[in-house]
Amino acid sequence: MRAPLLAFALIAALVAASPATACSRPPPFTDAQIEAFVLGDYRAAAGLVEIEVLTDATFETPGTARVVRVHKGDVAVGRLYRMRGNRDSCSPGNFMTAGMRGWMYVGASEPEEFPGLLSADAIRILRRNGVELQR
């Protein structure tokens, strides 16, 4: 399941046009490929939850996020996740800052690193394909 989430992270970075650090960019993806990646990640994810970040996270020190809505999966509203920031070689990292709110995928086990929030483009693709996320 890690592979689809990693693919989504790559697509989210490309869609958001984040500058890459110390790695080369792959050729641009077509809209159809991006849509296929987003829908594939949705199907593969154990859960899709809206979170509110309560405390900042660094790469070394975990922060806390609380589940405020559940769209998919067996996750309780109010559940707390302790996650560190996530940094890889091809993106500036996914930072968790108090006050952030948005949708994220969760796996079958507790996330140790913040996977990042779904981009507005990914949410539009999901909605266009019948996934009704509350606004």
Side-chain angles (χ1 to χ4, degrees):
M1 175 151 119
R2 188 107 172 116
L5 293 178
L6 291 175
F8 178 76
L10 174 63
I11 295 305
L14 290 171
V15 170
S18 302
T21 57
C23 72
S24 61
R25 286 184 181 248
F29 291 102
T30 66
D31 290 345
Q33 287 172 313
I34 292 170
E35 186 160 319
F37 286 134
V38 169
L39 294 175
D41 283 342
Y42 172 75
R43 285 189 293 273
L48 176 56
V49 298
E50 185 179 9
I51 62 163
E52 176 181 21
V53 177
L54 304 176
T55 60
D56 295 350
T58 68
F59 301 123
E60 296 81 25
T61 306
T64 306
R66 177 173 49 93
V67 174
V68 294
R69 287 191 191 138
V70 178
H71 171 76
K72 174 183 176 182
D74 187 21
V75 179
V77 170
R79 181 178 187 167
L80 297 178
Y81 287 117
R82 301 258 313 143
M83 299 175 281
R84 284 189 291 285
N86 176 4
R87 175 175 36 198
D88 66 36
S89 63
C90 290
S91 73
N94 292 315
F95 298 96
M96 208 169 85
T97 306
M100 287 175 73
R101 190 169 172 148
W103 293 93
M104 74 173 199
Y105 291 119
V106 292
S109 60
E110 289 275 326
E112 294 179 14
E113 293 183 335
F114 179 53
L117 298 174
L118 272 68
S119 70
D121 289 335
I123 291 171
R124 276 192 289 279
I125 290 169
L126 290 172
R127 285 186 175 136
R128 188 170 58 238
N129 284 275
V131 177
E132 295 297 325
L133 300 177
Q134 296 178 359
R135 295 178 194 253

